[in-house]
Amino acid sequence: MKGFETHLLHLQPSSNGFLPKRQSVNFNSPRSSPSMLKLFSYTASRAHHHPATRPGSLSVESPLLKALSHLTGLNRRSNSLGCRRVFFCSDNASDAAAAAEAEAKAAESDSDGSDSKSSSSAIVPTNPRPEDCLTVLALPVAHRPLFPGFYMPIYVKDPKVLAALQESRRRQAPYAGAFLLKDDPSTDSSSSTDVEKNINELKGKDLLKRLHEVGTLAQISSIQGDQVILVGHRRLRITEMVSEEPLTVKVDHLKDKPFDMDDDVIKATSFEVISTLRDVLKTSSLWRDHVQTYTQHIGEFTYPRLADFGAAICGANRHQAQEVLEELDVHKRLRLTLELMKKEREISKIQETIAKAIEEKISGEQRRYLLNEQLKAIKKELGVETDDKSALSDKFKERIDPNKEKIPPHVLQVIEEELTKLQLLEASSSEFNVTRNYLDWLTILPWGNYSDENFDVVRAQQILDEDHYGLSDVKERILEFIAVGRLRGTSQGKIICLSGPPGVGKTSIGRSIARALNRKFFRFSVGGLADVAEIKGHRRTYVGAMPGKMVQCLKSVGTANPLVLIDEIDKLGRGHAGDPASALLELLDPEQNANFLDHYLDVTIDLSKVLFVCTANVIDMIPNPLLDRMEVISIAGYITDEKVHIARDYLEKTARGDCGIKPEQVEVSDAALLSLIENYCREAGVRNLQKQIEKIYRKIALKLVREGVVPEEPAVAVDTEEAEIVTKLDVESTENPVVEEPKEEAQNEKTLVEKVMIDESNLADYVGKPVFHAEKIYEPTPVGVVMGLAWTSMGGSTLYIETTVVEDGEGKGCLNVTGQLGDVMKESAQIAHTVARKIMLEKEPENQFFANSKLHLHVPAGATPKDGPSAGCTMITSLLSLAMKKPVQKDLAMTGEVTLTGRILPIGGVKEKTIAARRSQVKTIIFPEANRRDFEELAENVKEGLDVHFVDDYRKIFELAFGYDKQQD
């Protein structure tokens, strides 16, 4: 909450007597209400306004006044100041200050040509007297009630009410009733704007209902525009309404209930109020000023006035203050005031604690800052350390000086400008840190620093073969890249995308390519990436801004021509922060990445020398514009023979070394490896095979430890020590050289060299029961069943199509399909049914099987979703086999999409499907004619032993499947 300023009007001697003087006291307190208290004094000119004593009043020598005098450290100067009365006000701070100025000006103008007795009078003597006023204008007060002896400025917007007040002032009866406004039950709003708006809207009876019955008779001290300053005199109670506009009411003047001045309870309560006031004054200078002025200028100090004084100046809310105003029992009123002041004291203590804590914190920070500045100055004078900004500038210049001629001119210009800017900034400013971090990134990047590439094709071939078995397509492409670089004398960056199922070595081949080219390697994954800033960087204006991944890559590797592997590029996300796939277009476009712009650096970077290798499982998930910028190399997977070589030459050696097992301790047979691959690891990749081999060696390690086999080095050390002991015994006693240790030693050596054999018979003890069973579930294939070939993200797979008759009857021909098929396969089934009926009419016109049979076509493994167009020819063959009651040839599998005219369309995944056929011991495969080139590009070990036919019309498949044509394609 903002602080409020309270203006206190004191009296100072002048040539004309005592003139008001304003003193400003800053009051910053969260407990202060928006209505602060203002004080002004006046000089009484009539004796009946200032009686020397009143019932219940305290004389100059009374204990209460002495307590207040002791409290404020003042002595009364009644002989010099005369009888003066101080009035306080509770209202808005700025309004009260304006009212105080108006009163001061009015007092000065009234004092011209008169003596000092009325120089600063706030109340003008009137006739009739206040107690004679039984009918008054009712003025609503919004925030706090007006207490007797205090003043309050209010704003009157109603012209009729303002005119009535001015008329009363002219008739020497300047009195009105000030009544606190009740809360509006129809709204929860309590803002001052809403309250003032409600006051202006209320009229007549509606206004009367909203006013508290008990209020204060107030003298109209002055009227300036729509501002009216009221001075409280005594308590009133509304009895009835006289007129509605302006609201005029009849009132009764309320008097305090009689009380005993000598009552010990009242005395004790009053002194407790004074004691609480003393505690509060220790922490609040504003209250101290109030009491000082009050005790200097008040004519009398009664117990009721003490209660009103405490309630008026404390920070109580409007309802609590109104409760004090309505209380006529002096003792109860003192108790209510005491409760309010006790709360005020507790709040003052909390305020003091908070202020002290903040002051200590600020003092500590200032002290630390001064000490640091002194330490810097001392170090600078001694030459121990230079200024921070100078040290930073020297560090940045040292970075760029060795390669200054390689840095592009536009980058060098930006660096020099930022260095100049750094010297002009204060080290404590936030802009200094932003500039320092920016210079740190600009100067640490390897501008023009390239690693020396190795263009030795033979060496690159050896490295690639050492790390990976097979992958001839990838290796051939990398060797082509090296050969071109050797002929040109330099290499250019390329964008290669390796696609294939998981576990085929896409990520690891990237590291091998970097080693073969002698380039630095950096990998980052973009799977699930949904923020463009990860690629292009953040703007420097953001808090915690960072450059993108490519700038971080260059800083990490320290060269401008690394090999960057972007993993899982087919799994890019897209969110509210932009489309990362679109941001990668600039990065992976050879025509654009020579001037790649990072948002953080805001200078172009040359990435044309960077070799990008991307990996993906399914290239269909990559956006076409991004896919168009990459050279795609497919890695279909490994056949069984390749997996055996990989397991024997790579995976087994790695797993054995990781488990601390020596080659002579374990032997895994070829039959065990073959069974492991066929029955446990049929995936296209070798990741699961690696896990199973590691599992085997972990169990072997546990078995060796349980049998007490120890590593060779500790065993040799123990044997040597025992041999020395035996030798010593032989020297000392040659007559009885009986020692049994050599036999135990021989037994230990035998234990160390004993091998653990893993073969097909005990393989299940190490890896559990087989996971896969034979895919060839029919031997021989029955009528209505045909084996197809399918492609999955894990590689190729065989797929059976089964058809059976549900019901026969004239005109009941229809087809139902099951097996969790997608929409494309459902359409293929309908096309297959139509083509099968057409072929049946050609081959056997008298056969009405399809017209009179309700058929059911099913694709097993119903829990697995299936979709794709390549099962069309297999479905047709299954339907015709059932119609002719003739099975297809043994060990036959086929794939291809069929049109309504019987034409065979090309399909994808030729290598994966060929591998799946070999795994299921299929001898004859039928492919579309358009896929002949794809098959011929396969390795010889994949094609070996297969009888492959290429067809472009289903009628050829019909002849091959049912044995009508024995000629091999």
Side-chain angles (χ1 to χ4, degrees):
M1 181 182 292
K2 295 183 178 179
F4 298 95
E5 183 177 82
T6 298
H7 298 284
L8 305 180
L9 294 180
H10 293 290
L11 300 180
Q12 67 177 5
S14 69
S15 59
N16 294 327
F18 287 88
L19 296 180
K21 175 185 176 181
R22 179 177 304 156
Q23 177 182 355
S24 297
V25 179
N26 289 327
F27 186 67
N28 230 340
S29 173
R31 61 186 172 82
S32 301
S33 63
S35 311
M36 298 308 298
L37 304 173
K38 305 298 174 289
L39 166 140
F40 66 94
S41 63
Y42 73 96
T43 302
S45 60
R46 292 181 179 258
H48 70 270
H49 278 294
H50 304 283
T53 58
R54 288 187 182 179
S57 67
L58 298 179
S59 65
V60 176
E61 302 300 328
S62 67
L64 178 60
L65 191 54
K66 288 181 178 180
L68 286 177
S69 298
H70 176 72
L71 180 68
T72 59
L74 296 173
N75 295 320
R76 290 195 57 84
R77 296 176 294 173
S78 57
N79 55 346
S80 60
L81 295 177
C83 290
R84 297 177 180 272
R85 179 170 296 171
V86 174
F87 292 86
F88 293 87
C89 161
S90 171
D91 201 354
N92 181 276
S94 60
D95 298 342
E101 290 180 5
E103 287 300 317
K105 291 179 180 179
E108 291 180 4
S109 62
D110 291 341
S111 66
D112 293 339
S114 63
D115 57 10
S116 61
K117 290 191 299 180
S118 59
S119 61
S120 58
S121 177
I123 298 181
V124 179
T126 60
N127 188 18
R129 297 176 301 174
E131 53 267 25
D132 297 333
C133 297
L134 301 179
T135 302
V136 294
L137 290 174
L139 300 178
V141 178
H143 305 295
R144 285 173 61 89
L146 174 62
F147 281 89
F150 293 80
Y151 84 89
M152 175 185 293
I154 64 172
Y155 288 90
V156 179
K157 301 297 182 181
D158 191 341
K160 294 182 179 181
V161 176
L162 191 61
L165 292 175
Q166 292 173 345
E167 180 63 25
S168 298
R169 186 174 171 83
R170 281 194 296 268
R171 289 191 288 110
Q172 296 297 314
Y175 293 101
F179 299 93
L180 182 66
L181 198 68
K182 297 179 182 178
D183 292 335
D184 188 358
S186 63
T187 178
D188 295 333
S189 176
S190 60
S191 65
S192 60
T193 304
D194 294 337
V195 173
E196 292 176 358
K197 182 179 179 182
N198 292 336
I199 290 177
N200 297 328
E201 293 176 353
L202 293 173
K203 306 289 182 182
K205 294 182 180 180
D206 294 335
L207 177 59
L208 182 62
K209 292 179 182 179
R210 290 286 305 281
L211 295 180
H212 284 276
E213 290 184 358
V214 177
T216 307
L217 179 66
Q219 178 181 346
I220 306 171
S221 177
S222 66
I223 300 177
Q224 293 185 356
D226 59 353
Q227 185 188 64
V228 180
I229 297 179
L230 305 177
V231 180
H233 273 264
R234 58 183 61 194
R235 288 169 169 77
L236 298 175
R237 185 189 301 276
I238 299 176
T239 58
E240 61 178 305
M241 182 177 67
V242 177
S243 62
E244 293 190 9
E245 289 192 11
L247 180 61
T248 307
V249 296
K250 286 186 178 181
V251 295
D252 287 340
H253 292 258
L254 302 179
K255 295 183 180 181
D256 296 332
K257 294 180 180 179
F259 63 95
D260 186 4
M261 284 286 297
D262 298 327
D263 185 81
D264 293 337
V265 177
I266 294 181
K267 288 182 179 181
T269 306
S270 63
F271 278 103
E272 183 63 23
V273 171
I274 296 172
S275 176
T276 307
L277 181 61
R278 180 180 63 242
D279 294 338
V280 175
L281 292 180
K282 295 178 180 179
T283 59
S284 176
S285 60
L286 177 65
W287 280 38
R288 191 178 304 115
D289 292 335
H290 282 330
V291 178
Q292 286 175 356
T293 309
Y294 199 86
T295 54
Q296 287 177 11
H297 304 292
I298 193 67
E300 67 271 3
F301 209 124
T302 63
Y303 290 124
R305 183 58 61 86
L306 176 63
D308 290 345
F309 177 81
I313 67 173
C314 70
N317 60 40
R318 50 190 299 196
H319 303 291
Q320 294 171 333
Q322 178 66 25
E323 186 179 359
V324 175
L325 182 67
E326 294 178 357
E327 184 57 59
L328 301 180
D329 189 309
V330 175
H331 176 235
K332 292 183 179 179
R333 190 188 304 170
L334 284 170
R335 290 185 60 86
L336 291 174
T337 300
L338 181 60
E339 291 178 6
L340 298 180
M341 297 191 68
K342 290 286 186 183
K343 294 179 182 178
E344 200 74 17
R345 183 176 63 179
E346 295 302 320
I347 296 175
S348 297
K349 290 181 179 179
I350 297 174
Q351 176 189 356
E352 184 180 7
T353 303
I354 296 173
K356 185 177 180 180
I358 295 176
E359 183 179 357
E360 290 178 353
K361 181 179 179 181
I362 294 175
S363 299
E365 292 177 354
Q366 290 178 345
R367 181 172 178 272
R368 190 178 302 109
Y369 174 76
L370 292 175
L371 290 176
N372 285 331
E373 291 298 322
Q374 291 175 3
L375 181 61
K376 292 177 183 178
I378 293 172
K379 288 184 176 181
K380 189 173 182 180
E381 290 294 331
L382 296 176
V384 177
E385 184 178 330
T386 58
D387 183 67
D388 287 347
K389 292 190 288 186
S390 300
L392 284 173
S393 299
D394 293 341
K395 182 180 74 171
F396 295 144
K397 289 178 181 178
E398 288 175 2
R399 287 180 181 177
I400 64 175
D401 284 343
N403 299 322
K404 199 168 185 179
E405 65 282 355
K406 298 180 181 179
I407 300 177
H410 68 282
V411 177
L412 195 59
Q413 181 181 357
V414 172
I415 292 175
E416 292 175 352
E417 290 176 355
E418 292 297 321
L419 284 173
T420 305
K421 178 181 177 182
L422 187 70
Q423 294 297 324
L424 300 176
L425 293 173
E426 289 293 335
S428 59
S429 66
S430 59
E431 185 68 20
F432 180 85
N433 293 327
V434 172
T435 305
R436 180 186 61 187
N437 293 335
Y438 182 44
L439 279 170
D440 189 33
W441 280 101
L442 279 177
T443 56
I444 206 170
L445 293 181
W447 302 103
N449 185 17
Y450 301 100
S451 60
D452 296 331
E453 292 186 281
N454 193 320
F455 296 117
D456 189 347
V457 177
V458 178
R459 174 181 173 274
Q461 180 76 53
Q462 292 176 351
I463 292 176
L464 294 176
D465 290 339
E466 286 176 5
D467 295 343
H468 292 81
Y469 182 85
L471 303 179
S472 58
D473 294 344
V474 182
K475 294 177 180 178
E476 188 72 17
R477 180 64 186 88
I478 297 305
L479 295 178
E480 293 172 1
F481 177 81
I482 296 174
V484 172
R486 182 168 185 174
L487 293 177
R488 295 181 70 249
T490 182
S491 62
Q492 292 293 325
K494 292 292 181 182
I495 297 93
I496 299 173
C497 180
L498 305 177
S499 68
V504 296
K506 300 185 297 297
T507 302
S508 60
I509 193 67
R511 196 180 301 273
S512 298
I513 295 172
R515 191 161 71 92
L517 293 173
N518 195 30
R519 288 193 178 199
K520 297 288 186 179
F521 178 78
F522 184 84
R523 171 193 171 273
F524 70 93
S525 176
V526 294
L529 187 68
D531 191 356
V532 174
E534 292 291 329
I535 306 296
K536 300 272 291 179
H538 301 86
R539 300 288 182 185
R540 292 198 305 276
T541 54
Y542 298 155
V543 176
M546 289 283 290
K549 284 293 184 182
M550 273 313 303
V551 177
Q552 297 178 35
C553 160
L554 297 179
K555 175 186 176 181
S556 177
V557 300
T559 60
N561 62 336
L563 186 146
V564 178
L565 180 72
I566 304 177
D567 226 346
E568 310 294 350
I569 199 170
D570 59 328
K571 300 175 181 62
L572 278 169
R574 184 171 185 175
H576 67 280
D579 183 12
S582 300
L584 284 175
L585 294 178
E586 180 184 0
L587 182 65
L588 300 181
D589 190 342
E591 301 298 328
Q592 299 183 44
N593 60 15
N595 295 297
F596 177 76
L597 182 65
D598 184 270
H599 290 160
Y600 182 86
L601 293 185
D602 206 23
V603 293
T604 57
I605 308 173
D606 185 7
L607 301 179
S608 60
K609 304 294 183 181
V610 178
L611 175 59
F612 291 97
V613 178
C614 305
T615 67
N617 296 127
V618 184
I619 60 175
D620 296 338
M621 303 297 292
I622 304 174
N624 288 332
L626 187 59
L627 185 64
D628 182 61
R629 287 162 168 78
M630 298 186 291
E631 180 181 350
V632 180
I633 300 177
S634 298
I635 305 176
Y638 303 102
I639 60 176
T640 302
D641 296 341
E642 292 175 334
K643 286 186 176 182
V644 171
H645 281 92
I646 293 171
R648 186 69 74 186
D649 298 338
Y650 300 94
L651 304 181
E652 192 178 0
K653 291 180 180 179
T654 303
R656 189 190 307 127
D658 292 341
C659 294
I661 299 175
K662 298 191 175 300
E664 60 270 15
Q665 293 177 304
V666 180
E667 181 178 348
V668 181
S669 64
D670 292 339
L673 275 181
L674 186 61
S675 177
L676 183 67
I677 294 170
E678 292 289 342
N679 300 326
Y680 296 87
C681 309
R682 287 187 180 179
E683 298 84 3
V686 294
R687 183 173 292 129
N688 191 41
L689 178 61
Q690 179 184 6
K691 294 177 181 178
Q692 296 295 338
I693 293 176
E694 290 175 350
K695 185 177 181 180
I696 292 173
Y697 275 91
R698 287 197 305 269
K699 290 187 176 294
I700 293 173
L702 179 61
K703 181 178 180 181
L704 293 176
V705 172
R706 284 177 174 173
E707 292 178 356
V709 177
V710 294
E712 182 178 352
E713 290 79 9
V716 172
V718 173
D719 293 343
T720 303
E721 183 178 354
E722 292 178 353
E724 292 176 358
I725 295 174
V726 172
T727 304
K728 185 176 181 181
L729 292 174
D730 289 341
V731 174
E732 294 179 353
S733 178
T734 56
E735 296 180 358
N736 298 316
V738 181
V739 181
E740 297 296 333
E741 282 77 357
K743 294 182 179 180
E744 295 179 1
E745 179 182 351
Q747 187 176 358
N748 289 338
E749 290 179 355
K750 183 178 180 181
T751 303
L752 286 173
V753 298
E754 183 179 354
K755 287 187 177 181
V756 178
M757 298 295 298
I758 306 295
D759 54 19
E760 192 174 3
S761 61
N762 63 353
L763 180 63
D765 297 337
Y766 293 89
V767 293
K769 296 181 180 180
V771 178
F772 299 100
H773 301 282
E775 291 186 0
K776 195 173 182 180
I777 59 178
Y778 294 108
E779 188 65 42
T781 305
V783 173
V785 178
V786 181
M787 179 186 290
L789 299 175
W791 178 92
T792 67
S793 60
M794 300 296 292
S797 176
T798 56
L799 194 71
Y800 281 97
I801 306 292
E802 303 174 341
T803 308
T804 187
V805 178
V806 177
E807 184 182 0
D808 288 329
E810 186 174 356
K812 291 187 176 182
C814 65
L815 176 67
N816 294 330
V817 295
T818 57
Q820 201 172 351
L821 307 183
D823 293 338
V824 176
M825 286 195 72
K826 289 179 181 178
E827 291 181 357
S828 295
Q830 296 298 327
I831 295 172
H833 189 247
T834 301
V835 175
R837 295 185 67 171
K838 178 181 177 182
I839 293 177
M840 206 59 207
L841 288 175
E842 295 177 359
K843 301 295 182 181
E844 300 179 9
E846 70 283 356
N847 192 335
Q848 299 296 317
F849 176 79
F850 289 108
N852 301 325
S853 299
K854 183 177 181 180
L855 306 178
H856 181 187
L857 186 147
H858 176 67
V859 183
T864 305
K866 311 169 191 69
D867 204 5
S870 62
C873 62
T874 312
M875 291 179 176
I876 296 173
T877 306
S878 175
L879 291 169
L880 291 175
S881 172
L882 185 64
M884 296 186 300
K885 296 180 174 56
K886 184 175 182 180
V888 298
Q889 289 190 7
K890 184 180 179 181
D891 298 333
L892 173 69
M894 63 186 69
T895 181
E897 181 180 1
V898 183
T899 66
L900 284 173
T901 60
R903 301 293 296 176
I904 308 299
L905 301 180
I907 47 86
V910 172
K911 182 177 179 179
E912 290 87 346
K913 294 179 179 180
T914 304
I915 293 173
R918 289 180 60 90
R919 187 167 57 240
S920 298
Q921 300 177 355
V922 173
K923 304 299 182 183
T924 306
I925 304 176
I926 298 177
F927 280 126
E929 178 66 33
N931 292 110
R932 180 188 294 270
R933 181 178 178 182
D934 297 331
F935 182 81
E936 291 175 352
E937 291 178 353
L938 299 180
E940 292 298 327
N941 60 342
V942 178
K943 298 184 292 184
E944 184 180 359
L946 294 177
D947 183 15
V948 182
H949 300 269
F950 299 95
V951 298
D952 55 5
D953 189 88
Y954 181 79
R955 291 165 181 81
K956 294 183 180 180
I957 297 178
F958 182 86
E959 296 172 354
L960 291 169
F962 297 105
Y964 288 98
D965 187 358
K966 301 297 181 181
Q967 182 180 0
Q968 300 295 321
D969 188 12

